[in-house]
Amino acid sequence: MKQTVLNLPVQTASRKLSLCAALCVLAAAVTLGVNVLLALTFTETTRLPYLLINIASDAIVGNAIILVLDTYLLPRRKLLCLVRQKGSAVTALVDNISESHHRYLGLDCLEIAAEGRRLFLPCDTIRLETGVRYRFQTVSNVIVEAER
């Protein structure tokens, strides 16, 4: 059974990331359009409500974009870049999987001890079991593919 860190083909993952980035840009553009519209159409009676709408839309959309970028887009982009690089094949028996997360190459990873080698597995991607022999595809000691 072959597992990859993307859980998708590379082209599909790339398209999903491009779509996500486009949606973030679209949300920012719509918010900017609303801000300009409100700034150009305010009167003395609508000044305060328009200002509050402007501030609320900036805060909500800005925080949503930052959340999507930080939790989904940038980590997936790093994984996609790793998968696209030429790696090396390693066959090893998994001796130990760390319980705590480590930061490696800007990714949250689990440390894998496999026959004297120290490998890193991005969190919430591939499921490994101790005592099982796997054939890994690694890039800079990061596991990007595993097969029993």
Side-chain angles (χ1 to χ4, degrees):
M1 180 173 83
K2 190 180 205 180
Q3 302 178 67
T4 65
V5 291
L6 294 174
N7 296 325
L8 296 170
V10 174
Q11 277 73 22
T12 305
S14 180
R15 265 187 266 124
K16 283 182 81 172
L17 288 178
S18 296
L19 178 64
C20 183
L23 288 176
C24 288
V25 169
L26 179 66
V30 168
T31 302
L32 178 65
V34 168
N35 289 346
V36 169
L37 179 69
L38 293 176
L40 294 176
T41 61
F42 79 93
T43 63
E44 276 307 311
T45 57
T46 61
R47 177 183 215 126
L48 183 61
Y50 281 14
L51 179 64
L52 294 175
I53 291 169
N54 189 337
I55 291 170
S57 68
D58 287 350
I60 292 169
V61 173
N63 283 323
I65 289 172
I66 290 170
L67 181 70
V68 168
L69 283 173
D70 199 34
T71 59
Y72 179 77
L73 196 61
L74 294 177
R76 290 286 176 178
R77 186 170 171 259
K78 285 180 184 177
L79 290 176
L80 185 62
C81 287
L82 282 174
V83 168
R84 286 181 172 162
Q85 292 178 16
K86 183 176 168 80
S88 59
V90 175
T91 301
L93 181 73
V94 174
D95 299 323
N96 187 26
I97 302 172
S98 70
E99 296 290 324
S100 61
H101 300 148
H102 300 280
R103 198 84 172 141
Y104 185 73
L105 296 179
L107 296 167
D108 288 331
C109 297
L110 297 173
E111 188 175 340
I112 308 294
E115 294 182 356
R117 293 191 66 148
R118 188 173 147 201
L119 303 172
F120 294 92
L121 176 66
C123 292
D124 302 322
T125 55
I126 297 174
R127 299 215 178 261
L128 299 178
E129 298 174 13
T130 56
V132 177
R133 182 170 293 281
Y134 291 94
R135 187 181 64 69
F136 299 116
Q137 187 71 25
T138 63
V139 176
S140 299
N141 287 331
V142 175
I143 299 170
V144 294
E145 187 177 285
E147 186 174 9
R148 270 189 157 174

